[in-house]
Amino acid sequence: MTNHWIDLKNTDLALIIGANPAENHPMSFKWLMKAKEDRGAKIIHVDPRFTRTSAKADIYAKLRSGTDIAFIGGIFNYVLQNELYHREYVLNYTNAPVLVDTGYKFEDGLFSGYDPKKRAYSTDTWKFQTDAEGNFIKDMGLSSPQCVLNLMKKHYERYDIDTVCRVTGTPKEVYKEVLKNVAAMSAKEKTMTIMYAMGTTQHTVGSQNVRSYAMLQLLLGNTGRPGGGVNAMRGESNVQGSTDMALLFHILPGYLGTPPAKPEHATLQGYLDKETPKSGYWSNKPKFMVSLLKAHWGPAATKDNEFAYHYQPKLNAAKNYSHIGLFEDMSKGNLKGLFVFGQNPVVGGPSANLEAKALENLDWLVGADLWETETLAFWKRPGTDPKSIKTEVFLLPACASYEKEGTVSNSGRWIQYRWKGVEPAGKSRADLDIINDLGNTLKKLYSSSTRPEDAPIRDLFWEYGRGSCDIDKVAREINGYDVNTGKLVTLFAKLADDGSTCSGNWIMCGMYPEEGKNLTQRRDNKDTSKIGTYLNWSYSWPANRRIIYNRCSADLDGRPWAKDKAVIWWDSVAGKWAGEDVPDFGGTVDPAGPGGRNPFIMIAGGLGGLFAPMKEGPLPEHYEPWDTPLTVNPFSGLLLNPVVKVWRPEEKGTPDKFPIVATTYRLSEHWQAGAMTRNVPWLAELFPDMFVEMGEDLAKEKGIKNGDRVVVRSARGEIKCFAMVTKRFEVFNVDGRTVHHVGLPWHYGFQGITTGDIANKLTPHIGDGNTMIPEYKAFLVDVRRAG
Amino acid sequence: MHEADWSIIIAFYLFVAGMGVAAFYTGVLANLFSNDKYPRLAKYGSYIGVPLILLGVLMLVFDLGRPEAFWRFLFHLNPSSTMSVGVWLLTAFSIISVLNALTWLAEDAGESSVLAMFKDKPGLRRATGLTGLAFGILTAGYTGVLLSSTSTVFRSITPLMGMLFLVSATSTGIAVLMLALAWRKEDHHIIQKLAKADAVVIVFEVIIFVLFLINLNTATPEVAAAILSGSYSLLFWVGVIACGLIIPLVVELYSMSSGKGLSSSAAVPAIASVLILIGGFLLRYVLLFAGQSPL
Amino acid sequence: MADRMGMLIDASKCMGCRGCQVACKQWNDLPATKTAFSGSYENPPQIEGNTWTKVKFSEDRQSDGTVSFRFLKVQCMHCTEASCISVCASGAATRMDNGYVIIDQNKCIGCRNCVLACPYQAVAFDPATGTSRKCWSCQNRLENNLQPACVKTCPSGALGFGKREDMLALAKKRAQELKTAGKDAYIYGEKELGGTNIMYVLDAPPKVYGLPENPKPATAGVSTNWMGVLVGAGIMAFAPFKILFSDKSTGVNKTPEAGVNKNA
Ligand SMILES: Nc1nc2c(c(=O)[nH]1)N[C@H]1C(S)=C(S)[C@@H](COP(=O)(O)OP(=O)(O)OC[C@H]3O[C@@H](n4cnc5c(=O)[nH]c(N)nc54)[C@H](O)[C@@H]3O)O[C@H]1N2
Ligand SMILES: Nc1nc2c(c(=O)[nH]1)N[C@H]1C(S)=C(S)[C@@H](COP(=O)(O)OP(=O)(O)OC[C@H]3O[C@@H](n4cnc5c(=O)[nH]c(N)nc54)[C@H](O)[C@@H]3O)O[C@H]1N2
Ligand code: SF4
Ligand code: SF4
Ligand code: SF4
Ligand code: SF4
Ligand code: SF4
Ligand SMILES: [Mo]
């Protein structure tokens, strides 16, 4: 989230798209309801199906799964053609006036620089024009066809209301209402928040979906302002923390890039040269990287050995380390062992049949979980002969969050310390303790090894005690300290690139600035600001900022755009920024002075990126999902996102065999792969079995009645479940045809006290072009009565 | 479908209790108005009524969630609770009717019986008969008032429920008396008289029923529809109306008009009686369950 | 006398998450029900001895083609004219000082009069205990100055708890706000059954939410019904018996046959 949960109360319009917060993020509604009550805010919900969120929305706009870019592209077109954007903001705080390289082209779905063999782009022509000093060339009059705004206007010309609705299936009248309401939010005194989650990201174009939202907020001048921003509602309770701590393969803690195994990245100097931009806050990257290496290898990381950079694992360019890539590799027998810590891919992974089968190729599987999940019981799943499976499975009983101590970071980036509520059940242990044992044991095993490949483990700086892990030490290390004095570092600005400081995660540096002052433990629920920043409750990264890019909340001269939406403002007498939040800006940088109007301090140039390179281009373009009901993309000659990796071309669903669009989603009453809720009788009674939701027309066509058993089939597999026939699913009119849409919760599996078939047996093994997140949200199926 | 909170046992209870008290008071009434010309009716009424009413009480207790705590009923009087009032009525009636039955039993028993103390007590018989009559009528009415106060459906269409149950109970009471006398050839004239009385009662019942259904249809058309044309319609038309009212009425009228010939056969009134009893039970069954449909 | 307390359920804010439904079971140690797929989001199908509150779901298509999906938390309304109290023959159902209606589990004998009589189907028989059970407004929390468990849990702010008069004022304020926003608004429970301790703010007529529009207490027809009994008794005693069996002649030993024939 650029903003945070409580800030939702400051909004005038919540555009909820690709999410169902009433069901999956219920607390958000506390604040949305307040916004409704106190300021007459409205809610727009854009979703293929009418949900509990839609029920509370003022406008419900249905769209076919996988068509968000068309939907948002149409808003761009409307806003740009009618000049309804926040002009001052757009002109000054974004790269709208910047001129783009004349080599940049867009033709029939493809940007310039595409290499069909590699299925990748060269970004050479996507550059900005610069003057002799390297500054961007701008056209403040917005008359040049090469300026970003005009390129954008041209790009989205094709996204007229008719074409958009032909693709999305949204009723035109409803779409026009959306356009009107959204565009009105570019007024200075108004802000709109965008709330999104997996309906947005779990697509082959997921990242571009998100980018389109970010661009919309820039156009409307809503980013960095109370009640505005782009708000990813995170998933697992600490998934924000796990992302920050780099549980992903392509980043190191604090969003530093994982070094690839390329010659340019072979040395630390090489890495820093490649990865560090010349301007913007990321120019401090060397300090963060060196401090991280010091945290990893402690005294073994010295100036002379480039702070043990050579110990840092590098990415093999030929490999794909994503979830899908790992399981594809496992399918081929290339992986021998697997640790699953709190994950249940046999239920939650895409193409669940394939993933369960892949596990059979392992020699061993170690799971740390609260339950014997479907993954840990994969060897006895229905239809298998346990005797034929050689994998040895170990289950380490893990304790639940209430049974242990530590921090959890919420979507608003608040790092909140929690104390143990109850003693762990049975012999279960905290993950941290399990990992600590693992670390200590491995170090012991390798302690006398002289083999160079063992050195990274032998030299690993791992001093958290024996047995149970000293969590305070972990917190100090993440924050960072002076390696000579042991004194805690007060803020990331104080980190050094000479090896004198260590920090396990620079963005969290500052959360533990002084002895005895772990700020994540703060619980002061008094708020003196009107906008509810609660600066003394826990700690949010970076630097306890609650609304990031908050320089945008003030006009060019540093005055709030609107009185009731003031966050920070320029105090010309004191010569600094004052306000209700920690400035996300140089505290004494005069708005009239150099850089005073460049709010996006993390980006070179400091301007919000309406135009910014991603894997599939600098501007989001609509492509159809892997399984699509269309044979032609009305926007171009390309159906599929040209940069996604196709793993299994034969497992593609086509509309002749699978005419129905399907999506998967969550229910309030269940949690994820279900172990946490299908084992709780109180929750099991609420939704006791797997079902597929479908509209009345489809049910009629197929002779299905509410409560019937049905079979749902896709190109990947089939499942049996109950039919829930509902008015909340309607037919879509797509490109002049009637397209039916169904939806399946994906919480069920064969373990636990309430069971049901696994929705993911149906989903494809394909992921987003940038992140590889699986396309869980849009695929094709067919449905018939069972029996 | 919502599982019924009061089961078929309660329908039986309402039926049996109503039939029992009615057998008692119809006997008493017949004897009373005829200046003691039908002592046998009073006696049979008493003999039939007492065990039935005790059976009814047992059913009620048996159906409680905690039968062992039944005594709480007796140690608490809640005047606004029809059940509470009814239990007290039942208790009073039980005591009175048992005493009454003892005065008859003592007569029928041999000289040396332990019941000798109840022998030749016309005063006691008369007093218990009259008070039993009053309590019996109230008890029969109570079964209807109970349903109307507990059922959220019928609550709105009072005051006919109590009356309907009273009249229907009377009909079943007469029927059970007829049945008891049916095998005695010498009592056929009594049966004929009872049949005549019953015919009048049935006519009343039909009138009340029609008014009741009109009310029901105005107040809660869904429930009326369930009874008249929905899930209860078969039971209602065939069971309650045909078996319980129309056929017996026709049979009774026919037997009256055709003189001695037919009525001398024991079978005809017996069949009418059995039909009345079936209809009486089904009436309670249908109204009990239709009245429980949540609204 | 303690303050009369109340709960306000704002249906316009309720998002049907069922947190309240589960919180009630958890706090009150009520076991789960073994349910089957119900064909909708609603389950268990009704209030039970071990389900004291639940959320009702309904979906409809409006005349303008839009879909509505409505949620309503239901539980004992704690009526002033409480049918359960009036029909209870054992004295188990009683009213507390703070206005709440509770069933004393020691006194209840499981006759289920209250179950049938409740206009809201809000009390149910529990075969496990042999008694009837229902929402008791978490008296053990109230005694410790805590809100009822369901209220505490509600994430959306749909549930409010406080003095009844304050809740009523809040209801009126919310209804006004809804009307200002161009919505329908109704308050339920202000006057129904003498005023219930639980009140609703609704954005559609009570009937749409499945609430009885003109609920009557169990006592509503009792006296007229008894009158009916007496009238019926009078008519009946008179018509068939007085007329048919009347015989002025005296003497117990007279042959009954004679009487019969004469009258026949
Ligand atoms: N109760 C509960 N809460 C949860 C979870 C849970 O399992 N249970 N899981 C947590 C986790 S890990 C996560 S990641 C979040 C996820 O939170 P959400 O993203 O809200 O979860 P979903 O229900 O998967 O998807 C949201 C909505 O996207 C819609 N949708 C499908 N396809 C499209 C599309 O193409 N475009 C648009 N605009 N919408 C589409 C679906 O119909 C669905 O209503 O929830 C978290 N919260
Ligand atoms: N079709 C479809 N599939 C999806 C999605 C979708 O929308 N549609 N969503 C995807 C998303 S967003 C996500 S996040 C994934 C989630 O998929 P998973 O992460 O596989 O699902 P969970 O059920 O959350 O698995 C968490 C496991 O951790 C255990 N656990 C809980 N607490 C602890 C703890 O403290 N320590 C340890 N060691 N274990 C613990 C739980 O018992 C549970 O078994 O699923 C993805 N799968
Ligand atoms: S699910 Fe958990 S985190 Fe989300 S609102 Fe409920 S209690 Fe809060
Ligand atoms: S709602 Fe039902 S149980 Fe609750 S007080 Fe009213 S009558 Fe009694
Ligand atoms: S079930 Fe219990 S509380 Fe209800 S009326 Fe009977 S005794 Fe009273
Ligand atoms: S007040 Fe307490 S007992 Fe009543 S519904 Fe709420 S949680 Fe359940
Ligand atoms: S907890 Fe609140 S929002 Fe959720 S269902 Fe209950 S009343 Fe509605
Ligand atoms: Mo997630």
Side-chain angles (χ1 to χ4, degrees):
Chain A
M1 279 186 161
T2 56
N3 297 39
H4 58 104
W5 293 113
I6 296 170
D7 180 63
L8 294 174
K9 75 176 178 148
N10 299 315
T11 202
D12 299 296
L13 175 65
L15 176 61
I16 303 175
I17 177 164
N20 182 10
E23 307 197 34
N24 301 322
H25 300 90
M27 269 328 260
S28 63
F29 266 73
K30 171 171 176 163
W31 307 108
L32 288 178
M33 287 303 173
K34 218 172 147 41
K36 267 190 165 217
E37 199 171 336
D38 295 352
R39 27 185 337 118
K42 282 190 179 164
I43 297 177
I44 297 178
H45 189 217
V46 185
D47 201 293
R49 63 199 182 99
F50 197 97
T51 71
R52 284 177 260 193
T53 298
S54 323
K56 299 287 115 176
D58 300 274
I59 301 175
Y60 164 68
K62 66 173 181 181
L63 93 172
R64 171 173 60 96
S65 254
T67 60
D68 288 67
I69 292 175
F71 194 94
I72 301 290
I75 305 181
F76 291 158
N77 187 40
Y78 178 79
V79 166
L80 291 171
Q81 296 296 339
N82 300 300
E83 304 214 2
L84 296 171
Y85 48 88
H86 188 326
R87 195 175 167 89
E88 232 176 319
Y89 185 111
V90 167
L91 211 55
N92 293 286
Y93 296 165
T94 78
N95 59 20
V98 179
L99 302 189
V100 176
D101 192 283
T102 47
Y104 165 82
K105 294 243 153 23
F106 175 80
E107 262 169 282
D108 198 24
L110 280 179
F111 295 87
S112 45
Y114 186 65
D115 178 345
K117 273 200 217 83
K118 289 196 194 146
R119 289 183 67 80
Y121 280 103
S122 135
T123 59
D124 292 348
T125 57
W126 306 352
K127 291 200 172 69
F128 296 121
Q129 300 182 23
T130 48
D131 61 17
E133 281 103 71
N135 295 319
F136 296 149
I137 300 177
K138 290 186 184 179
D139 170 18
M140 294 306 273
L142 298 177
S143 56
S144 163
Q146 271 321 100
C147 79
V148 164
L149 199 87
N150 288 334
L151 287 178
M152 209 179 145
K153 197 166 167 181
K154 175 122 199 352
H155 188 94
Y156 292 105
E157 236 170 37
R158 295 164 297 140
Y159 290 67
D160 58 280
I161 295 176
D162 282 331
T163 317
V164 166
C165 293
R166 233 171 81 204
V167 170
T168 60
T170 312
K172 252 189 253 172
E173 290 317 305
V174 176
Y175 190 60
K176 283 183 189 158
E177 271 298 293
V178 172
L179 292 175
K180 211 176 74 203
N181 279 278
V182 169
M185 292 300 126
S186 63
K188 275 185 200 163
E189 64 287 355
K190 298 279 181 198
T191 52
M192 169 180 88
T193 180
I194 293 186
M195 297 162 70
Y196 79 91
M198 295 302 117
T200 301
T201 55
Q202 291 170 342
H203 293 282
T204 38
V205 292
S207 305
Q208 289 286 23
N209 278 344
V210 179
R211 232 190 86 62
S212 72
Y213 305 167
M215 289 160 63
L216 178 58
Q217 288 298 57
L218 289 178
L219 275 186
L220 300 176
N222 282 335
T223 292
R225 302 187 56 196
V230 184
N231 295 300
M233 295 174 289
R234 306 305 309 263
E236 300 272 8
S237 61
N238 196 21
V239 69
Q240 181 67 52
S242 76
T243 320
D244 300 339
M245 290 308 292
L247 213 65
L248 299 162
F249 63 96
H250 66 298
I251 48 170
L252 301 177
Y255 303 93
L256 305 166
T258 312
K262 286 188 186 158
E264 311 92 278
H265 287 78
T267 62
L268 177 62
Q269 201 50 57
Y271 172 90
L272 295 177
D273 287 348
K274 274 306 262 188
E275 301 278 322
T276 313
K278 298 281 162 300
S279 59
Y281 204 80
W282 273 123
S283 58
N284 291 307
K285 201 176 272 182
K287 300 173 185 167
F288 310 150
M289 183 67 181
V290 170
S291 296
L292 176 67
L293 293 169
K294 284 296 287 179
H296 284 176
W297 285 285
T302 64
K303 207 166 193 148
D304 299 336
N305 68 3
E306 283 203 302
F307 304 106
Y309 176 74
H310 58 297
Y311 286 173
Q312 184 64 48
K314 316 280 185 308
L315 292 172
N316 179 345
K319 292 259 177 201
N320 186 308
Y321 297 92
S322 70
H323 179 96
I324 289 177
L326 288 179
F327 274 87
E328 288 289 348
D329 239 16
M330 203 186 294
S331 291
K332 299 196 187 90
N334 295 341
L335 293 180
K336 293 230 174 320
L338 178 71
F339 276 92
V340 280
F341 271 80
Q343 207 198 7
N344 188 4
V346 168
V347 174
S351 295
N353 283 331
L354 179 166
E355 299 208 343
K357 186 95 189 119
L359 294 172
E360 296 181 8
N361 295 333
L362 295 171
D363 291 344
W364 52 264
L365 167 64
V366 181
D369 208 291
L370 277 48
W371 315 90
E372 188 191 38
T373 63
E374 284 77 1
T375 299
L376 298 172
F378 83 96
W379 50 276
K380 54 179 176 183
R381 67 190 188 278
T384 45
D385 173 17
K387 282 198 227 66
S388 70
I389 295 169
K390 63 170 191 347
T391 317
E392 195 171 356
V393 180
F394 304 88
L395 167 55
L396 308 177
C399 57
S401 49
Y402 324 102
E403 299 169 333
K404 62 193 176 197
E405 198 169 330
T407 65
V408 166
S409 299
N410 72 7
S411 303
R413 298 163 284 103
W414 296 16
I415 314 165
Q416 310 192 72
Y417 205 87
R418 295 178 180 176
W419 290 265
K420 189 200 283 182
V422 288
E423 286 305 316
K427 288 187 178 157
S428 64
R429 298 181 70 205
D431 293 281
L432 200 54
D433 293 344
I434 297 175
I435 296 280
N436 192 34
D437 272 3
L438 200 61
N440 283 329
T441 310
L442 284 172
K443 268 184 73 76
K444 203 166 146 209
L445 284 172
Y446 290 98
S447 59
S448 52
S449 166
T450 52
R451 297 193 308 177
E453 61 266 40
D454 297 341
I457 293 177
R458 196 191 58 217
D459 288 345
L460 195 63
F461 188 59
W462 193 277
E463 311 258 315
Y464 313 109
R466 301 252 135 216
S468 94
C469 182
D470 184 339
I471 195 165
D472 190 56
K473 272 193 155 170
V474 176
R476 288 155 171 275
E477 185 179 299
I478 290 173
N479 178 79
Y481 51 85
D482 183 314
V483 295
N484 301 312
T485 63
K487 210 166 160 253
L488 291 157
V489 177
T490 50
L491 197 61
F492 45 75
K494 304 274 166 59
L495 294 174
D497 58 5
D498 60 0
S500 62
T501 58
C502 84
S503 169
N505 193 334
W506 74 272
I507 59 173
M508 296 185 181
C509 186
M511 70 174 189
Y512 201 161
E514 262 174 64
E515 264 337 294
K517 261 179 92 173
N518 182 342
L519 300 182
T520 66
Q521 297 178 342
R522 288 186 298 183
R523 287 295 185 275
D524 182 350
N525 63 3
K526 279 185 291 300
D527 184 57
T528 45
S529 76
K530 273 207 282 301
I531 54 169
T533 40
Y534 292 90
L535 289 174
N536 296 317
W537 179 282
S538 76
Y539 185 83
S540 71
W541 70 259
N544 206 29
R545 279 166 198 140
R546 306 290 154 136
I547 299 176
I548 54 178
Y549 313 127
N550 56 27
R551 165 67 181 91
C552 298
S553 69
D555 67 11
L556 303 186
D557 303 325
R559 290 177 309 235
W561 293 109
K563 262 227 183 73
D564 65 337
K565 305 239 169 173
V567 187
I568 62 165
W569 51 88
W570 178 248
D571 180 343
S572 53
V573 182
K576 60 177 194 169
W577 289 89
E580 321 254 40
D581 196 1
V582 180
D584 192 5
F585 202 61
T588 54
V589 177
D590 190 318
R597 292 169 180 178
N598 297 351
F600 293 88
I601 57 170
M602 297 305 289
I603 310 172
L607 298 175
L610 286 172
F611 185 96
M614 302 261 291
K615 287 260 166 69
E616 49 280 270
L619 295 173
E621 171 67 8
H622 169 76
Y623 304 108
E624 285 290 311
W626 169 241
D627 276 13
T628 165
L630 297 188
T631 43
V632 183
N633 179 353
F635 289 108
S636 75
L638 276 186
L639 271 176
L640 184 68
N641 177 351
V643 306
V644 298
K645 183 166 168 54
V646 176
W647 298 86
R648 294 168 178 262
E650 69 288 359
E651 290 181 10
K652 182 175 167 71
T654 48
D656 50 336
K657 285 199 200 114
F658 304 103
I660 303 165
V661 178
T663 191
T664 59
Y665 45 80
R666 294 155 171 78
L667 302 164
S668 287
E669 293 79 354
H670 279 299
W671 183 258
Q672 306 277 85
M676 302 282 286
T677 49
R678 284 187 288 108
N679 279 304
V680 178
W682 286 324
L683 299 173
E685 78 173 24
L686 300 175
F687 270 121
D689 218 318
M690 174 67 186
F691 57 92
V692 52
E693 288 187 272
M694 64 179 74
E696 290 170 337
D697 300 277
L698 175 62
K700 204 164 155 202
E701 202 172 285
K702 299 275 181 183
I704 295 168
K705 286 194 304 296
N706 194 21
D708 278 354
R709 293 291 286 174
V710 293
V711 175
V712 187
R713 277 184 326 120
S714 81
R716 278 72 52 180
E718 67 169 48
I719 64 165
K720 224 185 226 179
C721 59
F722 285 102
M724 186 185 285
V725 179
T726 166
K727 295 186 171 58
R728 295 176 293 97
F729 257 109
E730 292 176 332
V731 290
F732 283 78
N733 187 339
V734 179
D735 210 7
R737 284 191 301 127
T738 291
V739 172
H740 292 294
H741 211 312
V742 299
L744 307 109
W746 64 277
H747 300 298
Y748 294 90
F750 52 86
Q751 293 281 96
I753 60 171
T754 182
T755 58
D757 221 337
I758 297 172
N760 270 319
K761 289 179 179 176
L762 305 170
T763 52
H765 226 224
I766 194 164
D768 167 67
N770 290 268
T771 63
M772 283 301 296
I773 191 172
E775 187 153 70
Y776 291 118
K777 285 286 184 278
F779 51 97
L780 295 178
V781 298
D782 198 10
V783 183
R784 65 174 158 82
R785 278 181 61 177
Chain B
M1 159 92 195
H2 192 174
E3 223 179 274
D5 293 298
W6 270 353
S7 66
I8 193 163
I9 296 179
I10 293 293
F12 267 115
Y13 156 69
L14 297 175
F15 170 65
V16 167
M19 176 166 64
V21 291
F24 184 94
Y25 67 68
T26 46
V28 172
L29 274 177
N31 198 35
L32 182 71
F33 287 125
S34 65
N35 251 343
D36 277 343
K37 299 226 175 42
Y38 299 98
R40 198 148 57 240
L41 277 183
K43 177 164 102 178
Y44 273 60
S46 188
Y47 281 3
I48 293 168
V50 170
L52 284 179
I53 207 73
L54 293 179
L55 177 68
V57 170
L58 274 180
M59 283 176 162
L60 176 63
V61 173
F62 178 77
D63 198 53
L64 292 177
R66 294 169 63 204
E68 75 284 0
F70 174 70
W71 56 268
R72 287 197 184 274
F73 263 166
L74 300 174
F75 286 84
H76 186 83
L77 174 65
N78 178 359
S80 69
S81 163
T82 314
M83 180 64 102
S84 186
V85 170
V87 165
W88 281 74
L89 284 174
L90 265 175
T91 311
F93 178 84
S94 302
I95 295 168
I96 294 162
S97 62
V98 165
L99 286 176
N100 183 273
L102 288 174
T103 66
W104 293 108
L105 265 179
E107 213 161 78
D108 287 354
E111 285 298 317
S112 58
S113 161
V114 280
L115 297 173
M117 60 179 291
F118 291 103
K119 204 169 156 85
D120 290 330
K121 291 268 172 25
L124 179 63
R125 181 180 290 168
R126 200 178 162 76
T128 52
L130 287 177
T131 45
L133 167 69
F135 278 103
I137 286 177
L138 290 176
T139 307
Y142 137 79
T143 58
V145 181
L146 175 68
L147 262 203
S148 85
S149 72
T150 50
S151 161
T152 50
V153 174
F154 298 131
R155 198 169 286 169
S156 49
I157 53 161
T158 53
L160 292 171
M161 196 88 169
M163 204 191 280
L164 178 65
F165 271 59
L166 172 68
V167 174
S168 164
T170 307
S171 175
T172 59
I174 297 174
V176 75
L177 272 178
M178 289 200 288
L179 204 56
L181 296 174
W183 56 277
R184 286 171 58 102
K185 214 167 165 50
E186 63 270 36
D187 284 339
H188 279 176
H189 60 281
I190 311 188
I191 292 184
Q192 234 189 7
K193 192 130 197 178
L194 282 174
K196 223 181 264 178
D198 191 44
V200 179
V201 172
I202 289 180
V203 170
F204 273 138
E205 196 177 339
V206 169
I207 295 169
I208 298 169
F209 222 138
V210 169
L211 292 176
F212 174 84
L213 289 172
I214 291 171
N215 276 345
L216 183 65
N217 196 41
T218 337
T220 51
E222 316 89 279
V223 178
I227 294 174
L228 297 175
S229 56
S231 44
Y232 298 105
S233 57
L234 188 72
L235 284 182
F236 177 75
W237 289 112
V238 177
V240 180
I241 300 300
C243 279
L245 301 173
I246 306 303
I247 300 176
L249 183 62
V250 170
V251 170
E252 283 164 357
L253 291 177
Y254 183 72
S255 69
M256 274 184 266
S257 61
S258 61
K260 270 188 177 171
L262 250 176
S263 67
S264 57
S265 151
V268 175
I271 288 171
S273 302
V274 168
L275 290 178
I276 288 172
L277 294 185
I278 292 174
F281 169 70
L282 289 177
L283 168 73
R284 281 147 187 84
Y285 179 88
V286 167
L287 292 185
L288 175 73
F289 284 94
Q292 288 187 63
S293 20
L295 272 188
Chain C
M1 176 121 171
D3 280 326
R4 187 168 171 199
M5 306 302 280
M7 188 197 295
L8 181 64
I9 302 175
D10 185 341
S12 74
K13 285 187 179 176
C14 172
M15 53 190 181
C17 72
R18 301 201 272 178
C20 48
Q21 196 175 322
V22 176
C24 179
K25 290 212 163 184
Q26 186 182 35
W27 177 259
N28 294 299
D29 265 327
L30 301 172
T33 304
K34 184 99 189 88
T35 55
F37 176 72
S38 66
S40 84
Y41 280 32
E42 194 170 324
N43 229 337
Q46 68 269 323
I47 282 187
E48 293 168 352
N50 56 15
T51 304
W52 296 350
T53 186
K54 60 168 283 189
V55 180
K56 294 213 278 180
F57 290 75
S58 60
E59 50 180 68
D60 256 314
R61 203 180 303 279
Q62 306 301 111
S63 49
D64 62 357
T66 58
V67 174
S68 69
F69 194 20
R70 298 184 200 280
F71 325 113
L72 194 74
K73 177 191 188 292
V74 292
Q75 69 293 297
C76 168
M77 297 287 285
H78 299 277
C79 320
T80 296
E81 291 164 15
S83 296
C84 53
I85 299 181
S86 47
V87 300
C88 181
S90 77
T94 49
R95 181 182 311 286
M96 319 224 341
D97 267 0
N98 56 12
Y100 286 108
V101 176
I102 58 160
I103 294 179
D104 184 333
Q105 292 297 304
N106 291 320
K107 287 191 184 159
C108 175
I109 63 175
C111 70
R112 282 158 285 168
N113 272 274
C114 53
V115 176
L116 268 79
C118 171
Y120 298 101
Q121 288 87 43
V123 48
F125 179 70
D126 189 343
T129 55
T131 55
S132 292
R133 304 174 76 188
K134 66 172 193 71
C135 162
W136 65 321
S137 193
C138 298
Q139 294 302 327
N140 54 355
R141 291 179 64 92
L142 302 196
E143 280 156 17
N144 290 289
N145 287 322
L146 296 168
Q147 297 180 319
C150 52
V151 177
K152 179 75 187 166
T153 296
C154 178
S156 73
L159 303 183
F161 177 78
K163 283 190 205 165
R164 186 177 185 275
E165 55 191 284
D166 294 346
M167 290 299 109
L168 186 59
L170 186 61
K172 290 185 170 153
K173 178 175 155 273
R174 276 298 294 158
Q176 197 47 54
E177 280 165 9
L178 285 173
K179 281 186 185 141
T180 312
K183 303 238 163 62
D184 247 2
Y186 300 80
I187 296 174
Y188 189 91
E190 180 185 6
K191 305 223 171 66
E192 282 75 8
L193 294 170
T196 51
N197 276 22
I198 312 292
M199 289 169 293
Y200 289 104
V201 172
L202 305 172
D203 50 11
K207 203 162 69 193
V208 172
Y209 277 100
L211 288 167
E213 249 167 330
N214 207 349
K216 294 221 174 66
T219 44
V222 170
S223 47
T224 43
N225 239 304
W226 279 118
M227 292 298 291
V229 170
L230 296 181
V231 171
I235 297 173
M236 240 178 12
F238 185 75
F241 291 98
K242 174 87 173 122
I243 296 173
L244 287 176
F245 286 84
S246 215
D247 189 341
K248 295 277 155 41
S249 63
T250 51
V252 191
N253 295 325
K254 291 253 168 61
T255 52
E257 282 83 349
V260 173
N261 290 337
K262 218 193 279 169
N263 281 303

